[in-house]
Amino acid sequence: MIRFVLPTMLVLLTTSCAQRPLTPQSTDTVATLPSAAEWLDCLRKTGGTIVSAHRGGPYPGYPENALETIRFVLDQAPNFPEIDISTSADGTLFLFHDDALDAKTTGRGLAAKTSWETLRSLKLVDEAGAISAFNPVTLDDALRALTPHTIVELDLKAPTQASDIVAAVQAQNLSHRVIYIAYNLEQALQWQRLDPLATVSLSVFNWEDWRAVQASAIDLTRAVAFMAFSAPDPTLIEALHARGVEVIFGTLGWENSIDDQIAAGTAPYDYRDLAALGVQIIATDRPIEASADLPPTQCGAPAEP
């Protein structure tokens, strides 16, 4: 395997959120915890890297976007979950990725055409098609359960409105504990207008993207750059760091993703190599395995101190 030759990262053993129960706490307690921006700054300044569990980190028996799955992965490895937000026919925001219910639940038809009363009674289905004992959960309940103990990355799925997600986050005083995903500059600016205290993840795949970001009105102090699907550019990472912007690198994806290549031993680098390049967060479909390849950080997990 090819190794990048870079200075060794400073590391320090810390207590992770893996041992902490996921129980709701008051918003007063939550408000005292480190913000996503502060925690990201710590990772960048100390050379730390942690993983983000794509869709909550599904594993056999644990379907995507289930609270039970997120708990399971947090018990195994320091990470923070990325979750998808859909909207029911009667306006309830809940954790779900697909348009149709058929592949990921025991239901049928479009999620957006189904009432929450029906959705809440469905069972979630894992990656192998096995029916679990777990039900869909509302965004409100997920935020209450998760954000006292970890940062959460939120991915909007149609027909959900950004303003509705922000309203749910702000109702619990949790803006400082979330990262909103933006797929273009317009959406990133919208998130920042709606929630001035939150952090936004925006795509910076290449130098052209980075020049466009710099020419925009994006507040870089509340932004993290997402890269994926090809080899990371060390000079671009260095340029982002020079402006105080942290880097998420996505190894996730479809068949023959970087995750798949690392698992097969055919990738030109592994998770530790990405950390050595200056990546602060590795967004992965293999959060337990990826985390095991990384040293602990001086910043710890994004958890309650």
Side-chain angles (χ1 to χ4, degrees):
M1 176 173 292
I2 298 173
R3 293 278 181 177
F4 300 106
V5 181
L6 289 174
T8 303
M9 294 191 304
L10 297 173
V11 298
L12 182 68
L13 287 174
T14 57
T15 300
S16 81
C17 60
Q19 289 77 38
R20 300 182 184 275
L22 290 179
T23 53
Q25 295 185 5
S26 71
T27 54
D28 289 341
T29 301
V30 173
T32 67
L33 300 180
S35 70
E38 291 168 335
W39 176 72
L40 288 166
D41 283 344
C42 178
L43 289 177
R44 174 172 47 80
K45 292 174 181 178
T46 61
T49 306
I50 198 168
V51 302
S52 170
H54 185 221
R55 302 188 189 183
Y59 279 87
Y62 290 92
E64 64 183 47
N65 285 305
L67 272 184
E68 294 82 359
T69 298
I70 296 169
R71 290 188 175 100
F72 168 74
V73 177
L74 284 172
D75 281 342
Q76 309 302 312
N79 77 92
F80 71 91
E82 180 267 350
I83 54 179
D84 303 290
I85 314 302
S86 294
T87 304
S88 70
D90 46 354
T92 298
L93 274 59
F94 68 105
L95 274 55
F96 197 67
H97 178 278
D98 295 2
D99 292 334
L101 299 168
D102 303 51
K104 302 295 174 61
T105 77
T106 52
R108 295 291 181 268
L110 296 176
K113 299 292 186 182
T114 306
S115 70
W116 174 242
E117 190 63 28
T118 297
L119 290 165
R120 68 189 302 182
S121 68
L122 302 177
K123 297 301 181 183
L124 296 172
V125 173
D126 74 6
E127 302 294 286
I131 298 173
S132 75
F134 313 138
N135 306 98
V137 64
T138 66
L139 175 61
D140 286 343
D141 286 345
L143 291 174
R144 290 189 191 97
L146 297 174
T147 47
H149 306 280
T150 185
I151 289 163
V152 179
E153 194 172 19
L154 304 178
D155 193 358
L156 177 156
K157 298 301 177 187
T160 308
Q161 299 297 307
S163 57
D164 292 335
I165 294 178
V166 170
V169 169
Q170 291 178 338
Q172 297 191 44
N173 192 28
L174 296 174
S175 297
H176 69 302
R177 301 293 290 172
V178 303
I179 300 173
Y180 298 114
I181 293 177
Y183 290 96
N184 53 58
L185 280 176
E186 182 180 0
Q187 190 177 42
L189 288 165
Q190 180 188 29
W191 284 123
Q192 289 197 337
R193 284 194 302 268
L194 289 169
D195 202 343
L197 298 179
T199 298
V200 175
S201 168
L202 64 159
S203 298
V204 183
F205 290 164
N206 50 50
W207 284 95
E208 181 180 358
D209 289 344
W210 177 226
R211 285 190 287 270
V213 169
Q214 292 180 94
S216 74
I218 290 291
D219 179 358
L220 294 178
T221 66
R222 296 185 296 111
V224 56
F226 179 82
M227 303 176 177
F229 313 127
S230 61
D233 182 342
T235 58
L236 180 53
I237 291 174
E238 184 178 356
L240 288 160
H241 286 180
R243 293 293 304 274
V245 178
E246 293 78 27
V247 174
I248 300 178
F249 187 81
T251 56
L252 48 82
W254 295 269
E255 187 176 356
N256 201 36
S257 66
I258 295 173
D259 275 333
D260 290 341
Q261 294 174 44
I262 291 175
T266 60
Y269 46 80
D270 60 19
Y271 303 109
R272 187 175 289 251
D273 293 325
L274 292 171
L277 277 176
V279 171
Q280 280 68 60
I281 299 168
I282 298 173
T284 175
D285 288 319
R286 304 176 69 238
I288 297 173
E289 295 84 355
S291 184
D293 197 34
L294 300 171
T297 77
Q298 292 187 20
C299 308
E304 179 183 1

